[in-house]
């Protein structure tokens, strides 16, 4: 029953919120983000349960008279069927609940395959759903160190109807191909390369605040992370000076240390990638304003870093940095910066700072992204449709659109009795 499904989700939301510190500590231990951010993610993750508890009882249908008046039809909304959910390690709880919430609300059964590095952060909310009354067998969490061996056979299984994947564009492309054989319904939330644009008329305090949020959430390891900063020439020097001050003042340390604002990157490979992108940019002429070097001691730490004068051919302007590095480039005209912003295969999110309403709307319309943060450094909101265009994904999660991904439409033509 829709009401029962909604109430299970609502109880699971309340359990997660009541026990927040425990799953937050688990998440920080697994992937390193500062404990304050993990507490924030638990609340964000729980909100998907509350949001879809409310959607579960609003799955409507339609009844219509055909245009010539000669007959009637019904439109039914039915669960899509058994789903495979595959999630990444960077938001290890919320990326799961953003799929589980609408799937349960719609009435689907599911297998969740969490990332290899963060299985416990996915199991915690699953356990609470069970406590909240979710029947055995509805949600099945299967962890593995051989993702292809688990996911491949599931995609070929005749019972599966849908794949919902969040992760890299590379893996998403591969799974989209594998889903073609059985023409599965597919939702993909993939990588980004977000531009962060500051016009000369921007409120600079707000722009620096927005930049810190857009860059440093989850130590920069976010699909929504600002990846390319472009600042209009008259304010570029001042923006870089203020951003450098803020980045240099952040304390780096183990995520469980309550004083730490920047935790370690997820593994040595991630740190190596960030370091190589920085040396590539510096080799092409970028200037290090802060950070840029190694952090002493054990752990995969990388210091908050600001680079200015980053050239168009620097690798970091074309690849996800996935670390605490802000590369800044100066631009002259709106046309020029829009050209740069859209010159990428990705299209997840863009950030724009301007006090001009006309310009804000014009640029938001011209950006080839699924989301825009206009004078705002965070766009994620369980009530809103999250997702990308181009090679950043297919479909939307959150809001009303989130449950649509787990529903099929059936039309019944009514003959006159
Ligand atoms: P990933 O390597 O693509 O992994 C994501 C998930 O896919 C993991 O569970 C992974 O399992 C699994 N996987 C990887 N290769 C597979 C294969 N050949 N067959 C079946 N499953 C496979 O991505 P990640 O490094 O975990 O996450 C970072 C990426 O996710 C970034 O690109 C980021 O932008 C993107 N992301 C996007 C969003 C969004 O909403 N658009 C949100 C968060 C993250 P293993 O863990 O075992 O490898």
């Amino acid at each position: 029953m829709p009401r029962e499904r909604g109430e299970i989700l609502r109880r699971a939301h309340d359990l997660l919120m009541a026990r927040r510190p425990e799953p937050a500590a688990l998440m920080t231990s697994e992937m390193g983000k500062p404990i304050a951010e993990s507490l924030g993610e638990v609340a964000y993750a729980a909100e998907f349960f509350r949001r879809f508890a409310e959607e579960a009882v609003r799955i409507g249908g339609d009844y219509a008279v055909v245009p010539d008046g000669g007959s009637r039809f019904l439109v039914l909304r039915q669960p899509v069927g058994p789903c495979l959910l595959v999630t990444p390690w960077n938001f290890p709880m919320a990326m799961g609940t953003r799929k589980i919430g609408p799937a349960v609300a719609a009435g689907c059964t599911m297998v969740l395959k969490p990332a290899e590095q963060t299985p416990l952060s996915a199991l915690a909310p699953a356990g609470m759903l069970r406590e909240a009354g979710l029947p055995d067998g509805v949600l099945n969490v299967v962890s593995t160190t051989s993702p292809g061996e688990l996911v491949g056979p599931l995609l070929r299984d005749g019972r599966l109807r849908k794949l919902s994947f969040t992760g890299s564009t590379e893996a998403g492309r591969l799974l989209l191909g594998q889903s073609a054989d059985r023409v599965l319904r597919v939702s993909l939330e993939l990588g980004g390369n977000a531009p962060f644009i500051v016009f000369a008329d921007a409120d600079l305090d707000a722009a620096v605040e927005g930049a810190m949020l857009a860059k440093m959430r989850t130590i920069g390891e976010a699909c929504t992370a600002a990846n390319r900063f472009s600042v209009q020439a008259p304010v570029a020097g001042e923006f870089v000076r203020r951003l450098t001050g803020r980045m240099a003042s952040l304390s780096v340390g183990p995520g469980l240390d309550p004083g730490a604002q920047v935790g370690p990157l997820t593994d040595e490979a991630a740190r190596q990638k960030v370091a190589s992108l920085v040396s590539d940019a510096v080799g092409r002429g970028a200037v290090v304003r802060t950070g840029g070097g190694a952090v002493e001691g054990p752990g995969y730490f990388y210091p908050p870093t600001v680079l200015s004068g980053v050239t168009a051919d620097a690798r970091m302007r074309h690849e996800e940095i996935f670390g605490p590095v802000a590369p800044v480039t100066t631009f002259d005209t709106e046309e020029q910066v829009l050209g740069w912003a859209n010159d990428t295969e990705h299209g997840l999110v863009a950030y724009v700072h301007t006090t001009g309403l006309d310009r804000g709307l014009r640029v938001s319309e011209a950006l080839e992204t699924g989301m825009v943060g206009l004078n705002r450094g965070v766009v994620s909101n369980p009530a809103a449709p999250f997702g990308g265009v181009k090679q950043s994904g297919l479909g939307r999660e959150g809001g009303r659109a989130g449950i649509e991904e787990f529903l099929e439409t059936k039309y019944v033509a009514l003959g006159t009795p």
Side-chain angles (χ1 to χ4, degrees):
M1 290 298 109
R3 177 67 74 201
E4 201 180 332
R5 299 200 297 269
E7 283 177 357
I8 290 168
L9 286 170
R10 180 59 203 232
R11 282 195 293 274
H13 161 272
D14 294 349
L15 284 171
L16 252 180
M17 289 306 286
R19 298 179 192 164
R20 251 168 105 191
E22 204 181 312
L26 204 58
M27 195 186 312
T28 292
S29 308
E30 281 193 316
M31 59 70 67
K33 72 173 82 178
I35 190 71
E37 287 198 49
S38 292
L39 285 164
E41 182 173 340
V42 176
Y44 177 50
E47 189 57 29
F48 286 106
F49 286 165
R50 180 157 66 175
R51 171 80 207 179
F52 289 104
E54 291 157 0
E55 293 291 347
V57 292
R58 298 204 175 92
I59 301 167
D62 212 350
Y63 170 83
V65 180
V66 300
D68 69 7
S71 65
R72 309 285 183 268
F73 64 82
L74 301 176
V75 179
L76 315 182
R77 310 289 285 139
Q78 296 182 309
V80 68
C83 303
L84 171 61
L85 318 177
V86 181
T87 53
W89 51 265
N90 64 339
F91 286 93
M93 195 175 291
M95 296 303 93
T97 62
R98 196 162 79 170
K99 299 181 189 306
I100 297 167
V104 168
C108 299
T109 55
M110 68 212 84
V111 173
L112 168 66
K113 193 213 88 60
E116 200 172 317
Q117 281 134 311
T118 52
L120 301 179
S121 300
L123 281 163
M128 289 182 212
L129 272 166
R130 192 174 189 202
E131 246 183 89
L134 192 72
D136 284 348
V138 174
L139 167 62
N140 307 277
V141 183
V142 186
S143 63
T144 176
T145 51
S146 310
E149 285 172 32
L150 174 75
V151 168
L154 282 173
L155 291 175
R156 290 192 292 276
D157 189 303
R159 292 166 292 184
L160 192 76
R161 294 298 175 83
K162 176 171 178 84
L163 167 69
S164 178
F165 172 84
T166 297
S168 61
T169 296
E170 194 185 8
R173 238 184 244 126
L174 184 81
L175 299 190
L176 180 62
Q178 292 178 15
S179 302
D181 284 348
R182 297 197 45 259
V183 195
L184 294 172
R185 281 272 301 269
V186 178
S187 305
L188 301 174
E189 295 287 352
L190 308 177
N193 182 5
F196 189 103
I197 302 168
V198 182
F199 285 97
D201 65 357
D203 172 337
L204 268 201
D205 287 333
V208 171
E209 201 53 49
M212 294 300 292
L213 285 168
K215 180 72 252 180
M216 294 305 291
R217 229 171 132 223
T218 305
I219 324 161
E221 297 171 308
C223 54
T224 51
N227 208 58
R228 301 171 283 158
F229 289 80
S230 299
V231 187
Q232 206 161 16
V235 294
E238 182 60 13
F239 178 85
V240 168
R241 194 183 65 72
R242 292 197 206 179
L243 183 64
T244 301
R246 287 291 300 279
M247 291 284 272
S249 73
L250 295 174
S251 58
V252 179
L256 286 174
D257 173 350
Q261 292 167 297
V262 184
L265 296 178
T266 194
D267 54 27
E268 184 55 24
R271 181 162 69 166
Q272 289 291 337
K273 183 188 173 196
V274 173
S276 87
L277 289 176
V278 170
S279 22
D280 169 79
V282 171
R284 294 172 198 272
V287 176
V288 179
R289 299 289 170 169
T290 184
V295 173
E296 293 293 313
Y300 312 121
F301 295 99
Y302 195 87
T305 297
V306 177
L307 303 177
S308 62
V310 178
T311 54
D313 60 351
R315 275 174 51 211
M316 62 171 60
R317 284 178 61 89
H318 308 280
E319 291 177 35
E320 273 186 308
I321 301 171
F322 246 55
V325 178
V328 185
T329 305
T330 303
F331 73 92
D332 294 311
T333 66
E334 184 179 310
E335 192 187 5
Q336 178 189 29
V337 79
L338 274 172
W340 290 351
N342 290 336
D343 182 21
T344 167
E345 68 183 24
H346 291 110
L348 188 61
V349 61
Y351 303 92
V352 181
H353 275 264
T354 175
T355 50
L357 180 61
D358 283 358
R359 192 206 309 272
L361 293 176
R362 188 169 64 238
V363 170
S364 297
E365 286 182 15
L367 284 162
E368 297 170 357
T369 56
M371 302 176 287
V372 176
L374 183 53
N375 296 317
R376 224 187 125 73
V378 177
V379 293
S380 308
N381 188 319
F386 185 105
V389 300
K390 292 159 85 175
Q391 294 185 41
S392 286
L394 292 174
R396 294 293 179 270
E397 290 190 328
R400 177 70 205 164
I403 194 166
E404 296 293 335
E405 302 281 325
F406 292 91
L407 292 169
E408 280 289 10
T409 298
K410 182 183 285 173
Y411 142 66
V412 181
L414 302 174
T416 316

